[in-house]
Amino acid sequence: MPLRPIDNALPTTTDDRPRKQSKVVLPATKQSERPLNDENQIPMQSSGDAAIDYIYSDDLKPISEPEARIQGLMEDLNSKNWLNVCQALNDVRRFALYHSSLLFPELGKVASVVAKTMKNPRSALCKTSIMAASDIFNSFGDKLLDPSTSDAFDSLLIQLLLKASQDKRFVCEEADKALTLMVASIAPLPLLLKLRAYVSHSNPRVRAKAAISVSNSVSNMGLEEMEEFGLGEMIKVAADLLNDRLPEAREAARSIANCIYGELTKDEEQKLEAWQNFCQSKLPAIHALSVFKTINP
């Protein structure tokens, strides 16, 4: 018996043009067809395609009715519909940039949800939450270290260090940007007090990322701030990192040592002698020699 033709066959196409890099297109599928743990699945049935745009901060616009929107912000951030969460995260960014006084009373709760969302395996959610953290740092800076938001900041910090340490490149790069903006937005001394615990983290990549942030913070400090933190403690951090397995951590250690050297010997005539005496007074002999040799006057 001859085979009957299929009437509803889908047309074929040879259009292989790549999609734009700024957009992640997520096709909807029936619930029964979705594989488990698929990070691109949409948690609802839909007849069309859903798109997530990664919007630069400069392209974000103010919210037309911010007083009304703030009332439902937390509910949308905790939504089970991840598309709603992405939209709410972008609204967090808009609040941070244009309506910060309305966001501040909710900042601790919002920052905690942003940190929690970074753990989501879905890349679109993860990256958008990191971008939200950047805008929060840019707008609130030192206010994130207030008692009401300090715990939320701790959660943001560890998640950013973890995301910057992972293999997914575009997430890693976004987390690196957020950490750089964090250092630029928060006073170095209180930030160092938060960061110093992570330079001895069990994950070597986290140690390296923390070391880079420490180095960048130290580069913004004068001698008085260094002494307030503790020059002995600071040079011990550098000495420990000099023996780290990752080159990024070792390079950060050399940068920290050079920053201390520059401030400590600024008014000294015999700079190397003063530096040698300092290293020997703060470190065991073998470590003192290693740190001393990092200097290239």
Side-chain angles (χ1 to χ4, degrees), residues 152-211:
F153 174 79
D154 291 342
S155 298
L156 284 175
L157 177 56
I158 183 57
Q159 287 305 315
L160 286 172
L161 291 171
L162 289 169
K163 294 305 173 185
S165 305
Q166 69 170 46
D167 294 325
K168 195 171 291 184
R169 182 175 177 181
F170 80 105
V171 171
C172 176
E173 290 176 347
E174 199 64 45
D176 280 334
K177 292 177 186 177
L179 289 169
T180 299
L181 190 54
M182 175 191 71
V183 170
S185 303
I186 298 178
L189 179 57
L191 184 57
L192 278 184
L193 297 175
K194 294 284 189 179
L195 283 167
R196 65 179 176 183
Y198 298 109
V199 294
S200 57
H201 196 276
S202 59
N203 184 325
R205 291 186 179 184
V206 171
R207 286 200 306 271
K209 295 298 181 178

Coordinates of all heavy atoms in Angstrom, one line a residue, residues 152-211:
A152 N 22.8 41.1 54.2 CA 22.4 41.0 52.8 C 23.7 41.2 51.9 O 23.9 40.6 50.9 CB 21.3 41.9 52.4
F153 N 24.5 42.2 52.4 CA 25.7 42.5 51.6 C 26.7 41.3 51.7 O 27.3 40.9 50.7 CB 26.5 43.7 52.2 CG 27.8 43.9 51.6 CD1 27.9 44.5 50.3 CD2 29.0 43.5 52.2 CE1 29.2 44.7 49.7 CE2 30.2 43.7 51.6 CZ 30.3 44.3 50.4
D154 N 26.8 40.6 52.8 CA 27.6 39.4 53.0 C 27.1 38.4 52.0 O 28.0 37.7 51.4 CB 27.5 38.9 54.4 CG 28.2 39.8 55.4 OD1 29.0 40.7 55.0 OD2 27.9 39.7 56.6
S155 N 25.8 38.2 51.8 CA 25.3 37.2 50.9 C 25.7 37.6 49.4 O 26.0 36.7 48.6 CB 23.8 37.1 51.0 OG 23.4 36.7 52.3
L156 N 25.5 38.9 49.1 CA 25.9 39.3 47.8 C 27.4 39.1 47.5 O 27.8 38.6 46.4 CB 25.6 40.8 47.6 CG 24.2 41.3 47.4 CD1 24.1 42.8 47.4 CD2 23.6 40.7 46.1
L157 N 28.2 39.4 48.5 CA 29.7 39.2 48.3 C 30.1 37.8 48.0 O 30.8 37.5 47.0 CB 30.4 39.8 49.5 CG 31.9 39.6 49.5 CD1 32.5 40.3 48.3 CD2 32.5 40.2 50.8
I158 N 29.7 36.9 48.8 CA 30.1 35.5 48.6 C 29.5 34.9 47.3 O 30.2 34.2 46.6 CB 29.7 34.6 49.8 CG1 30.2 33.2 49.6 CG2 28.2 34.6 50.0 CD1 31.7 33.0 49.3
Q159 N 28.3 35.3 46.9 CA 27.7 34.8 45.7 C 28.5 35.4 44.5 O 28.8 34.7 43.5 CB 26.3 35.2 45.6 CG 25.4 34.3 46.5 CD 25.6 32.8 46.2 OE1 25.6 32.4 45.1 NE2 25.7 32.1 47.3
L160 N 28.9 36.7 44.5 CA 29.7 37.2 43.4 C 31.0 36.6 43.3 O 31.5 36.3 42.2 CB 29.8 38.7 43.7 CG 28.6 39.6 43.4 CD1 28.8 41.0 43.8 CD2 28.2 39.5 41.9
L161 N 31.7 36.3 44.5 CA 33.0 35.6 44.4 C 32.8 34.2 43.8 O 33.7 33.8 43.0 CB 33.6 35.5 45.8 CG 34.0 36.8 46.4 CD1 34.4 36.6 47.9 CD2 35.2 37.4 45.7
L162 N 31.7 33.5 44.1 CA 31.5 32.2 43.6 C 31.2 32.3 42.1 O 31.7 31.5 41.3 CB 30.4 31.5 44.3 CG 30.6 31.1 45.8 CD1 29.4 30.7 46.5 CD2 31.6 29.9 45.8
K163 N 30.4 33.2 41.7 CA 30.0 33.3 40.3 C 31.2 33.8 39.4 O 31.4 33.4 38.3 CB 28.9 34.3 40.1 CG 27.6 33.8 40.7 CD 27.2 32.4 40.2 CE 26.0 31.8 40.8 NZ 25.7 30.5 40.4
A164 N 32.1 34.6 40.0 CA 33.3 35.0 39.3 C 34.3 33.9 39.2 O 35.2 34.0 38.3 CB 33.9 36.2 40.0
S165 N 34.1 32.9 39.9 CA 35.0 31.7 40.0 C 34.6 30.6 39.1 O 35.3 29.6 39.0 CB 35.2 31.2 41.4 OG 35.6 32.3 42.3
Q166 N 33.4 30.6 38.5 CA 32.9 29.5 37.8 C 33.4 29.5 36.3 O 34.0 30.4 35.9 CB 31.4 29.5 37.8 CG 30.7 30.6 37.1 CD 29.2 30.4 37.0 OE1 28.5 30.0 38.0 NE2 28.6 30.5 35.8
D167 N 33.0 28.5 35.6 CA 33.4 28.3 34.2 C 32.6 29.0 33.1 O 33.0 29.1 32.0 CB 33.6 26.8 33.9 CG 34.6 26.1 34.7 OD1 35.6 26.8 35.0 OD2 34.4 25.0 35.1
K168 N 31.3 29.3 33.5 CA 30.4 29.9 32.5 C 30.9 31.3 32.2 O 30.7 32.2 33.0 CB 29.0 29.9 33.0 CG 28.0 30.1 31.9 CD 26.6 29.9 32.4 CE 26.4 28.4 32.6 NZ 25.0 28.1 33.0
R169 N 31.5 31.6 31.1 CA 32.3 32.8 30.9 C 31.5 34.1 31.0 O 31.9 35.0 31.7 CB 32.9 32.7 29.5 CG 33.8 33.9 29.2 CD 34.5 33.8 27.9 NE 35.3 35.0 27.5 CZ 36.0 35.1 26.4 NH1 36.1 34.1 25.6 NH2 36.7 36.2 26.2
F170 N 30.3 34.1 30.4 CA 29.6 35.4 30.4 C 29.0 35.8 31.8 O 28.9 36.9 32.1 CB 28.5 35.4 29.3 CG 27.2 34.7 29.7 CD1 26.1 35.5 30.1 CD2 27.1 33.4 29.7 CE1 24.9 34.8 30.4 CE2 25.9 32.7 30.1 CZ 24.8 33.5 30.4
V171 N 28.8 34.7 32.6 CA 28.4 35.0 34.0 C 29.6 35.4 34.8 O 29.5 36.4 35.6 CB 27.8 33.7 34.6 CG1 27.5 33.9 36.1 CG2 26.4 33.4 33.9
C172 N 30.7 34.7 34.6 CA 32.0 35.1 35.3 C 32.4 36.5 35.0 O 32.7 37.3 35.9 CB 33.1 34.1 34.8 SG 34.7 34.4 35.5
E173 N 32.3 36.9 33.7 CA 32.7 38.3 33.4 C 31.8 39.3 34.0 O 32.3 40.4 34.5 CB 32.7 38.4 31.9 CG 33.8 37.7 31.2 CD 33.8 37.8 29.7 OE1 32.7 38.2 29.1 OE2 34.8 37.4 29.0
E174 N 30.5 39.0 34.1 CA 29.6 40.0 34.7 C 29.8 40.1 36.2 O 29.8 41.2 36.8 CB 28.1 39.5 34.4 CG 27.1 40.6 34.6 CD 27.3 41.7 33.6 OE1 27.5 41.5 32.4 OE2 27.2 42.9 34.0
A175 N 30.2 39.0 36.8 CA 30.5 39.0 38.3 C 31.8 39.8 38.5 O 31.9 40.5 39.5 CB 30.6 37.6 38.8
D176 N 32.8 39.6 37.6 CA 34.0 40.4 37.8 C 33.7 41.9 37.7 O 34.3 42.7 38.5 CB 35.0 40.0 36.7 CG 35.8 38.8 37.0 OD1 35.9 38.4 38.1 OD2 36.2 38.1 36.0
K177 N 32.8 42.3 36.8 CA 32.5 43.7 36.7 C 31.8 44.2 38.0 O 32.1 45.3 38.4 CB 31.5 43.9 35.5 CG 32.1 43.7 34.1 CD 31.0 43.8 33.1 CE 31.6 43.5 31.7 NZ 30.5 43.6 30.6
A178 N 30.9 43.4 38.5 CA 30.2 43.7 39.7 C 31.2 43.9 40.9 O 31.1 44.8 41.7 CB 29.2 42.7 40.1
L179 N 32.2 43.0 41.0 CA 33.2 43.1 42.1 C 34.0 44.4 41.9 O 34.4 45.0 42.9 CB 34.1 41.9 42.1 CG 33.4 40.6 42.6 CD1 34.3 39.4 42.3 CD2 33.1 40.7 44.1
T180 N 34.4 44.7 40.7 CA 35.2 45.9 40.4 C 34.4 47.2 40.8 O 34.9 48.1 41.4 CB 35.5 46.0 38.9 OG1 36.4 44.9 38.6 CG2 36.3 47.3 38.6
L181 N 33.1 47.2 40.5 CA 32.2 48.3 40.9 C 32.0 48.4 42.4 O 32.0 49.5 42.9 CB 30.9 48.2 40.1 CG 29.9 49.4 40.2 CD1 30.6 50.6 39.7 CD2 28.7 49.1 39.4
M182 N 31.9 47.2 43.0 CA 31.8 47.2 44.5 C 33.0 47.9 45.1 O 32.9 48.7 46.0 CB 31.8 45.7 44.9 CG 31.8 45.5 46.4 SD 32.0 43.8 46.9 CE 33.7 43.5 46.5
V183 N 34.2 47.5 44.7 CA 35.4 48.1 45.2 C 35.4 49.7 45.0 O 35.9 50.4 45.9 CB 36.7 47.5 44.6 CG1 38.0 48.3 45.0 CG2 36.8 46.0 45.0
A184 N 35.0 50.1 43.8 CA 34.9 51.5 43.5 C 33.9 52.3 44.3 O 34.0 53.5 44.5 CB 34.7 51.7 42.0
S185 N 32.9 51.6 44.8 CA 31.7 52.2 45.4 C 31.8 52.2 46.9 O 31.1 53.0 47.6 CB 30.4 51.5 45.0 OG 30.3 51.5 43.6
I186 N 32.6 51.4 47.5 CA 32.6 51.2 49.0 C 34.0 51.6 49.5 O 35.0 51.2 49.0 CB 32.2 49.7 49.4 CG1 30.8 49.4 48.9 CG2 32.3 49.5 50.9 CD1 30.3 48.0 49.2
A187 N 34.0 52.3 50.7 CA 35.2 52.7 51.3 C 36.1 51.5 51.5 O 35.6 50.4 52.0 CB 34.9 53.4 52.6
P188 N 37.4 51.6 51.3 CA 38.3 50.4 51.3 C 38.4 49.8 52.7 O 38.5 48.5 52.8 CB 39.6 50.9 50.8 CG 39.6 52.4 50.9 CD 38.1 52.8 50.8
L189 N 38.5 50.6 53.7 CA 38.7 50.0 55.1 C 37.6 49.0 55.5 O 37.8 47.9 55.8 CB 38.9 51.1 56.1 CG 39.2 50.6 57.5 CD1 40.4 49.6 57.6 CD2 39.4 51.7 58.5
P190 N 36.3 49.5 55.5 CA 35.3 48.5 55.9 C 35.1 47.4 54.9 O 34.7 46.3 55.3 CB 34.0 49.4 55.9 CG 34.3 50.6 55.1 CD 35.8 50.8 55.3
L191 N 35.4 47.6 53.6 CA 35.3 46.5 52.6 C 36.4 45.5 52.9 O 36.1 44.3 52.8 CB 35.5 47.1 51.2 CG 35.3 46.1 50.1 CD1 33.9 45.4 50.2 CD2 35.4 46.8 48.7
L192 N 37.6 45.9 53.3 CA 38.6 44.9 53.6 C 38.3 44.0 54.8 O 38.6 42.8 54.8 CB 39.9 45.6 53.9 CG 40.8 46.1 52.7 CD1 42.1 46.7 53.2 CD2 41.1 44.9 51.8
L193 N 37.6 44.6 55.7 CA 37.1 43.8 56.9 C 36.2 42.7 56.5 O 36.1 41.7 57.1 CB 36.5 44.7 57.9 CG 37.4 45.8 58.5 CD1 36.6 46.7 59.5 CD2 38.5 45.2 59.3
K194 N 35.4 43.0 55.4 CA 34.5 41.9 54.8 C 35.3 40.9 54.0 O 35.0 39.7 54.0 CB 33.4 42.6 54.0 CG 32.5 43.5 54.8 CD 31.5 42.7 55.6 CE 30.4 43.5 56.1 NZ 29.4 42.7 56.9
L195 N 36.3 41.4 53.2 CA 36.9 40.6 52.3 C 38.0 39.6 52.9 O 38.3 38.6 52.3 CB 37.6 41.4 51.2 CG 36.7 42.1 50.1 CD1 37.5 43.1 49.4 CD2 36.2 41.0 49.1
R196 N 38.6 40.0 54.0 CA 39.8 39.3 54.4 C 39.5 37.8 54.8 O 40.4 37.0 54.7 CB 40.4 40.0 55.7 CG 39.5 40.0 56.9 CD 40.3 40.7 58.0 NE 39.5 40.8 59.2 CZ 39.9 41.4 60.3 NH1 41.1 42.0 60.4 NH2 39.1 41.5 61.4
A197 N 38.2 37.5 55.1 CA 37.9 36.1 55.4 C 38.0 35.2 54.2 O 38.2 34.0 54.3 CB 36.5 36.0 56.0
Y198 N 37.8 35.8 53.0 CA 37.7 35.0 51.8 C 39.1 34.8 51.1 O 39.2 33.9 50.2 CB 36.8 35.7 50.8 CG 35.4 35.8 51.3 CD1 34.8 37.0 51.7 CD2 34.6 34.6 51.5 CE1 33.5 37.1 52.2 CE2 33.3 34.7 52.1 CZ 32.8 35.9 52.4 OH 31.5 36.0 52.9
V199 N 40.1 35.4 51.6 CA 41.4 35.2 51.0 C 42.0 33.9 51.5 O 43.1 33.4 51.1 CB 42.4 36.3 51.3 CG1 42.0 37.6 50.5 CG2 42.6 36.6 52.8
S200 N 41.3 33.2 52.5 CA 41.7 31.9 53.0 C 40.6 30.9 52.7 O 40.6 29.8 53.3 CB 42.0 32.0 54.5 OG 40.9 32.4 55.2
H201 N 39.8 31.2 51.7 CA 38.7 30.3 51.4 C 39.2 29.0 50.8 O 40.3 28.9 50.2 CB 37.8 30.9 50.3 CG 36.5 30.3 50.1 ND1 36.3 29.2 49.3 CD2 35.2 30.6 50.6 CE1 35.0 28.8 49.3 NE2 34.3 29.7 50.1
S202 N 38.5 27.9 51.0 CA 39.0 26.6 50.6 C 39.0 26.4 49.1 O 39.8 25.6 48.5 CB 38.1 25.5 51.2 OG 36.7 25.6 50.7
N203 N 38.2 27.2 48.3 CA 38.2 27.2 46.9 C 39.3 28.1 46.4 O 39.2 29.3 46.6 CB 36.8 27.6 46.4 CG 36.7 27.5 44.9 OD1 37.6 27.7 44.1 ND2 35.5 27.2 44.4
P204 N 40.3 27.6 45.6 CA 41.4 28.5 45.2 C 40.9 29.6 44.3 O 41.5 30.7 44.3 CB 42.3 27.5 44.5 CG 41.5 26.3 44.1 CD 40.5 26.2 45.2
R205 N 39.9 29.4 43.5 CA 39.4 30.4 42.6 C 38.7 31.6 43.4 O 38.9 32.7 43.1 CB 38.4 29.9 41.6 CG 39.0 28.9 40.5 CD 38.0 28.6 39.5 NE 38.6 27.7 38.5 CZ 37.9 27.3 37.4 NH1 36.7 27.6 37.2 NH2 38.5 26.5 36.5
V206 N 38.0 31.2 44.4 CA 37.4 32.2 45.3 C 38.5 33.0 46.0 O 38.4 34.2 46.1 CB 36.5 31.6 46.3 CG1 36.0 32.6 47.4 CG2 35.2 31.0 45.6
R207 N 39.6 32.3 46.5 CA 40.7 33.0 47.1 C 41.3 34.0 46.1 O 41.6 35.2 46.5 CB 41.8 32.0 47.5 CG 41.5 31.2 48.7 CD 42.7 30.6 49.3 NE 43.6 29.9 48.4 CZ 43.5 28.6 48.1 NH1 42.5 27.9 48.7 NH2 44.3 28.0 47.3
A208 N 41.5 33.6 44.9 CA 42.1 34.5 43.9 C 41.2 35.7 43.6 O 41.7 36.9 43.5 CB 42.3 33.7 42.6
K209 N 39.9 35.5 43.4 CA 39.0 36.6 43.2 C 38.9 37.6 44.4 O 38.9 38.8 44.2 CB 37.6 36.1 42.9 CG 37.5 35.3 41.6 CD 37.9 36.2 40.4 CE 37.7 35.4 39.1 NZ 38.1 36.2 37.9
A210 N 38.9 37.0 45.6 CA 39.0 37.8 46.8 C 40.3 38.6 46.9 O 40.3 39.8 47.3 CB 38.8 37.0 48.0
A211 N 41.4 38.0 46.5 CA 42.7 38.6 46.6 C 42.7 39.8 45.6 O 43.3 40.9 46.0 CB 43.8 37.6 46.2

